[in-house]
Amino acid sequence: MSDDQINIEVDGKSVKAKKGQMIIEATDEHGSYVPRFCYHSKLSIAANCRMCLVEVEKAPKPLPACATPVADGMKIFTKSPFAIAAQKATMEFLLINHPLDCPICDQGGECELQDLAMGYGRGVSRYNDNKRVVKDKDIGPLVSTDMTRCIHCTRCVRFGEEITGAQELGTVQRGENMKIDTYIEKSIDHELSANIIDLCPVGALNNKPYRYSARSWEMIQHETVAPHDCVGSNLYAHVLRGRIKRIVPRENEAINETWIADRDRFSYEGIYSPDRLKNPKLKVNNEWKDIPWEQALNIVVEQINSNDKDQISLLASPSSTTEEFYLLSKIAQGLSVNNIDHRLRRTDFSDQDNDPVTPWLGTSISDIENCKSIVLVGSEIRKEAPIIAHRIRKSALNGSQVSFINSELSEYFFDVSSFMSGDILESLCTLVSALKIKLSNGAASIESASAKSDDSEMIAKSLSSEGDTLILLGHEAINHPQSSTIRYLASLIAKATNSKFGFVTEGANTMGACLTGITPHREINGTPRSNSGLNTDKIKECNSKLTLLWNSEPNADVPNFADKKENDASVIAFSTHFTDNFSNIADLMLPIGTFAETSGTFINCEGSWQSFNGVSSPVHEARPGWKVLTVIGDLLKLDGFEFESSLDVLSELREKLGKTETSNNPEKYKNQSNGNKKASVERVPMYQMDAILRHSPSLQLTPEAQRDSKI
C-alpha cells in the first residue's frame, strides 16, 4: 500500500482511501451513496445543508461526510438507523419552507430535493406555521428565479466566487431571513454564469427561455458537440417531437469538465428563428421566389458548368463539419477550382505557405492548468473560447503567471501578471528586446522599434521560469494585417524561452478545414497545389464570375464582401438563415441544416475528432450539408460521390489522411511584412460570431450583447 493510502471501513466493507480525502469522496468511489445538496466535486466544501450526515464509530454525533476527512481505521456507516434518522431529520427541516409546487416546477422529474424527499421525507409535515415567501429576483434574460424554493446550498454563490471569479450572487441576512441575492441590482453577466442552472439542486434557478415548455420525462436526450468555438464542448440536447427544447452540459474532464458557455446553452433558439431559410430561393427580377430543390440544384450545376474554373470561387465557414469540408474540397478538386478558402476574416496571407496544416493549441486543453506561465497575444480569450479562459483562470489560481499582449485592456477576474496594451507588433518587439533575441529574415526594420519596459521585463522573466510555459495567439493576432510578422516574432520568443506555441483558432473546425484542403494553396493533408488559387481577400477584390458561399454570410462572416460585388457576378449561398445581407447580394439560396440537423465531425483546437449525429428534425426544407454536396457532386458527374451516410464520407477521408499529428511548425515562420500599417483588427462580438448566435433572441438581450450593439 502506498504512503498516501489508508484503510477504512464503509458499511462493513474494508476499502482503501486517500489521506486527506473527505468521507463523501471515499464513499462515492466505493459505491456507497450518501445524500447531499450543497456538495459538488468542482466546488469548495460548505457543509451548509447537513444532508450528508453519517455515523462514524466512536463519534458522539453524526458527522457531515462532505467536511470530515477520513482517518486510518475509521468505520463509517451510511445506512445505519442512526445515520438515516439524522438524514431524515435534516430533510424534514429543509422541507419546512419549501413550497409544494412540484407540478409546475421546471425541475420536476430531475430535482435532487424531490428525489431525496421520496427516500428521506415524512409522509406528513409536522410544521403548521406559515411558510416564508421570498421575492423573486430578475437576474437577466437567461436565468429565471423562484427563490422561495431555495434551500441555501450556496452552490450558485460558490460557483461565482470560485469558477467564474465574478461574484454576482451572494447571501444576505441571517437565519429565517437569509436569501440568495445579487450584490447590486444587475443581471448576471459572465459568459459561464448560466451553469448555475445545472448546479441548483432544486427549482430556484431555471432556464428562462425553456421555462414551462416541456417536462423532463417527455424529452429524449442526444449527445452533440458545440459549434461556436474551437473547444468543442460536449453537450446533451433535450429534444421533444424533433425540436430542441434545451441544451445542457455533457461531462468531459479533458475538454469542458462539467461546464458550458452560455452561448452553447442558448444558441439553439437561433435554429428556430423566423429568419431561417425555409426553402430554396431564386432571385427573379430582383424578387425572391421559392423553387423546388431539384430546380435549385440544377441551377447550381448549370452555373458551375457555364463558368471558367478560374472564375469560380468558394468561401466556407470554419464552423462547417469535416465531412462538408471534404466534399467541398473533393468537388473543387474534381473541377480544378483552386479559389477556395475558409479564412474569412484573415487579412495577411503573405506567409501562408508556412501555415501549419494542423493549427492547434500547442497543448491539451486540460494541461493549460499545469502551465507555470501563459502569454496570450492578440486574444480576447473570454469571448473567443470561454472554456479555455476558464482553464487559464484555474492556472492563474494555481500560481501560474498569466500575461496579455493586447490592443485593449479587458477584465479577467484573476490577477494578471503583466499587461502590454497598444500596438501588438510594437509590444512583441519590446518583448523580443527584453529577451535579447536577435532578429533575422529582414526584420531589422522592426528591431529599431523595440525598447524595454517593466511589463516586457516581467513577461520575459515569467517565460524564462521553470516548468511549462505557453504562448497563444488569439483571433486578433491571427487576423491582424501584420499577422505574419506577429506570428514570426511570437515563434522566436517561444523558441528562445523553450515555450509551447499555439493558436486559439476561429470557428469549431479550423483544423478540419486545413486538413481537407479548404485553402487556395494546399490540397488534402497539406499537399501543395500545383497552381495556387485566390485567398479570401483576392476573391473579394477580383470578383469571380461565380462565388459559392458555404454556411457564411456576406459582411457578417465575410467582411466587406457585399461592397465589392459587381452586378454581373453571381453568388450562390448555401445558408441556414436568410438576412438582408443575402437579399442584396445573393442570386440563389439553398437551405442547409445547422449542427443540430446534421451528422458530422468537428476537430477541436487540441486535435480531438468529435463526431455527432443530428439531434433534431430539419426546419422546413433544410437538408444536411453533406447530402446536398453529395448530390451536387453526382449531378456534376464527378467520380466518388456514392455516399450513403456521413460515416462513409468520414471513413474515406480518414483513409486518405492516414495518421495525422498536430504540429504548428513555428520554426518555419518568416517575417513577410505586407506593408499594411493598420494597427488593429475589428473584433467580433461574442454573440455575433455565427448565424445561429446572431439569431438567438435571449443571447441578444444579454448585457454583453447590448454593450456590443452600442459600439
Side-chain angles (χ1 to χ4, degrees):
M1 186 174 67
S2 62
D3 293 338
D4 64 340
Q5 295 274 313
I6 59 175
N7 291 310
I8 64 172
E9 190 176 292
V10 178
D11 294 332
K13 296 180 180 178
S14 295
V15 298
K16 289 180 172 56
K18 297 177 183 176
K19 283 184 180 179
Q21 198 173 33
M22 298 300 161
I23 289 176
I24 199 167
E25 296 173 320
T27 55
D28 282 352
E29 283 183 5
H30 298 286
S32 295
Y33 178 75
V34 176
R36 80 289 302 268
F37 291 116
C38 67
Y39 174 78
H40 192 279
S41 60
K42 297 293 182 182
L43 303 176
S44 63
I45 303 297
N48 288 330
C49 70
R50 319 307 281 187
M51 191 65 210
C52 65
L53 293 174
V54 296
E55 180 182 0
V56 177
E57 188 181 56
K58 298 181 180 178
K61 59 182 181 179
L63 300 177
C66 68
T68 306
V70 295
D72 194 31
M74 178 181 279
K75 293 184 179 181
I76 303 160
F77 304 94
T78 66
K79 296 176 177 62
S80 67
F82 188 59
I84 295 293
Q87 294 160 1
K88 285 187 174 184
T90 300
M91 176 57 69
E92 185 177 14
F93 180 75
L94 289 172
L95 292 176
I96 280 177
N97 285 308
H98 197 80
L100 297 176
D101 59 354
C102 296
I104 63 161
C105 179
D106 275 330
Q107 199 81 353
E110 53 188 7
C111 173
E112 295 176 48
L113 181 68
Q114 193 178 51
D115 292 341
L116 292 180
M118 292 293 293
Y120 299 92
R122 292 176 57 90
V124 178
S125 174
R126 294 182 290 179
Y127 184 76
N128 294 317
D129 294 326
N130 293 328
K131 295 190 175 202
R132 73 169 194 159
V133 177
V134 182
K135 184 179 179 181
D136 296 333
K137 197 79 173 180
D138 185 1
I139 58 174
L142 305 182
V143 182
S144 66
T145 62
D146 293 271
M147 301 314 296
T148 302
R149 300 170 183 163
C150 179
I151 61 171
H152 305 151
C153 71
T154 69
R155 282 184 181 180
C156 56
V157 177
R158 286 175 284 149
F159 175 81
E161 293 174 346
E162 300 164 15
I163 305 301
T164 69
Q167 298 181 353
E168 298 171 307
L169 297 174
T171 58
V172 297
Q173 303 188 49
R174 303 176 65 185
E176 177 74 7
N177 296 318
M178 178 180 172
K179 61 181 180 180
I180 305 294
D181 208 340
T182 52
Y183 284 114
I184 56 177
E185 291 287 335
K186 70 170 190 175
S187 302
I188 58 171
D189 193 23
H190 192 276
E191 58 276 6
L192 299 178
S193 288
N195 284 286
I196 60 177
I197 297 168
D198 309 311
L199 284 174
C200 184
V202 296
L205 302 172
N206 292 296
N207 186 320
K208 202 169 198 175
Y210 161 78
R211 193 172 175 89
Y212 300 140
S213 65
R215 305 311 304 244
S216 59
W217 56 84
E218 297 176 315
M219 299 182 290
I220 300 173
Q221 179 171 275
H222 298 280
E223 296 181 357
T224 188
V225 178
H228 306 301
D229 57 44
C230 61
V231 173
S233 294
N234 289 204
L235 314 174
Y236 283 122
H238 292 169
V239 179
L240 176 63
R241 291 186 285 275
R243 186 182 177 99
I244 297 176
K245 289 296 183 179
R246 66 178 177 183
I247 298 284
V248 298
R250 173 161 57 98
E251 186 173 351
N252 187 328
E253 283 295 321
I255 297 177
N256 56 293
E257 299 181 293
T258 59
W259 320 118
I260 57 173
D262 290 357
R263 67 185 180 197
D264 295 331
R265 185 184 299 273
F266 297 105
S267 66
Y268 73 91
E269 288 186 300
I271 297 172
Y272 308 106
S273 165
D275 291 332
R276 277 299 299 270
L277 181 60
K278 300 177 178 64
N279 304 285
K281 290 181 178 291
L282 177 67
K283 188 183 287 183
V284 181
N285 297 325
N286 216 31
E287 291 185 2
W288 288 100
K289 295 184 177 180
D290 292 343
I291 61 173
W293 261 103
E294 184 178 1
Q295 182 183 350
L297 292 169
N298 286 329
I299 293 173
V300 173
V301 172
E302 182 183 342
Q303 286 277 346
I304 292 173
N305 287 330
S306 62
N307 282 282
D308 293 336
K309 304 313 178 223
D310 59 351
Q311 287 295 312
I312 300 175
S313 301
L314 193 154
L315 295 174
S317 164
S319 289
S320 305
T321 68
T322 305
E323 291 82 353
E324 291 168 355
F325 283 145
Y326 176 58
L327 292 170
L328 284 168
S329 179
K330 196 169 182 177
I331 290 172
Q333 188 176 17
L335 297 171
S336 299
V337 171
N338 295 331
N339 306 327
I340 180 170
D341 212 342
H342 73 279
R343 302 163 298 175
L344 306 183
R345 300 185 183 278
R346 187 163 163 178
T347 55
D348 181 10
F349 301 89
S350 56
D351 193 33
Q352 69 173 6
D353 288 342
N354 291 312
D355 285 355
V357 179
T358 54
W360 77 302
L361 197 63
T363 184
S364 67
I365 294 171
S366 59
D367 280 347
I368 290 175
E369 299 176 19
N370 302 320
C371 291
K372 297 300 181 183
S373 177
I374 302 172
V375 178
L376 289 104
V377 182
S379 174
E380 203 166 7
I381 191 64
R382 284 181 52 201
K383 297 183 180 182
E384 294 168 4
I387 294 298
I388 292 178
H390 161 64
R391 297 279 191 175
I392 291 172
R393 182 175 185 275
K394 288 179 72 175
S395 180
L397 296 179
N398 290 335
S400 172
Q401 299 181 71
V402 181
S403 306
F404 290 86
I405 301 175
N406 280 352
S407 58
E408 298 177 3
L409 296 170
S410 297
E411 190 174 16
Y412 296 101
F413 300 110
F414 60 83
D415 291 334
V416 176
S417 299
S418 302
F419 201 119
M420 298 179 70
S421 60
D423 186 85
I424 298 174
L425 188 57
E426 290 183 6
S427 296
L428 281 174
C429 291
T430 305
L431 182 55
V432 165
S433 177
L435 289 164
K436 300 178 180 178
I437 298 172
K438 183 175 177 62
L439 297 175
S440 58
N441 294 323
S445 60
I446 60 175
E447 189 173 13
S448 61
S450 62
K452 294 181 182 179
S453 67
D454 290 341
D455 283 321
S456 67
E457 293 286 351
M458 291 178 65
I459 295 175
K461 186 178 179 180
S462 72
L463 288 173
S464 303
S465 60
E466 294 184 3
D468 289 340
T469 54
L470 176 65
I471 298 174
L472 291 176
L473 300 190
H475 294 184
E476 186 177 5
I478 294 170
N479 296 324
H480 197 280
Q482 292 283 356
S483 64
S484 296
T485 304
I486 289 171
R487 186 175 69 177
Y488 166 71
L489 292 176
S491 68
L492 284 184
I493 295 168
K495 183 180 179 181
T497 58
N498 198 29
S499 299
K500 297 177 180 178
F501 178 84
F503 301 92
V504 182
T505 53
E506 293 186 283
N509 201 19
T510 289
M511 191 182 299
C514 293
L515 278 171
T516 54
I518 309 298
T519 52
H521 60 297
R522 289 176 179 157
E523 297 177 353
I524 293 173
N525 211 10
T527 305
R529 294 186 188 273
S530 55
N531 294 307
S532 186
L534 303 177
N535 59 51
T536 300
D537 266 5
K538 295 295 183 182
I539 290 172
K540 291 188 290 186
E541 290 174 4
C542 295
N543 260 296
S544 302
K545 294 300 180 182
L546 174 63
T547 301
L548 306 177
L549 296 176
W550 185 266
N551 198 24
S552 52
E553 183 178 345
N555 290 347
D557 298 315
V558 191
N560 304 318
F561 181 89
D563 297 340
K564 299 188 178 179
K565 189 220 180 218
E566 295 182 355
N567 292 330
D568 62 340
S570 296
V571 175
I572 297 176
F574 300 82
S575 178
T576 58
H577 293 76
F578 183 73
T579 66
D580 288 341
N581 284 332
F582 286 117
S583 180
N584 296 331
I585 191 169
D587 303 289
L588 173 67
M589 297 197 64
L590 293 86
I592 57 174
T594 63
F595 77 101
E597 300 158 329
T598 183
S599 55
T601 304
F602 293 144
I603 309 175
N604 73 356
C605 58
E606 67 173 14
S608 296
W609 292 60
Q610 300 190 103
S611 295
F612 53 91
N613 294 317
V615 300
S616 65
S617 303
V619 172
H620 298 279
E621 292 295 313
R623 297 289 183 267
W626 71 268
K627 287 187 177 181
V628 174
L629 292 170
T630 298
V631 174
I632 290 174
D634 204 37
L635 291 173
L636 287 167
K637 299 180 180 179
L638 301 176
D639 294 332
F641 282 84
E642 299 80 18
F643 301 109
E644 295 185 359
S645 70
S646 64
L647 286 176
D648 295 338
V649 181
L650 184 63
S651 296
E652 182 176 294
L653 172 63
R654 295 301 294 260
E655 186 178 346
K656 283 191 176 182
L657 291 177
K659 186 178 180 181
T660 58
E661 295 183 0
T662 52
S663 176
N664 288 320
N665 301 320
E667 68 280 355
K668 294 184 178 181
Y669 302 150
K670 297 177 181 178
N671 173 38
Q672 299 279 16
S673 177
N674 62 6
N676 192 336
K677 302 300 182 183
K678 185 180 176 181
S680 62
V681 62
E682 184 178 352
R683 295 188 176 186
V684 183
M686 181 162 54
Y687 299 138
Q688 295 287 328
M689 288 186 170
D690 58 56
I692 301 176
L693 292 173
R694 291 192 289 269
H695 290 87
S696 172
S698 296
L699 290 176
Q700 299 308 318
L701 291 173
T702 60
E704 174 70 26
Q706 295 299 306
R707 286 192 297 270
D708 288 331
S709 66
K710 296 176 182 177
I711 296 176

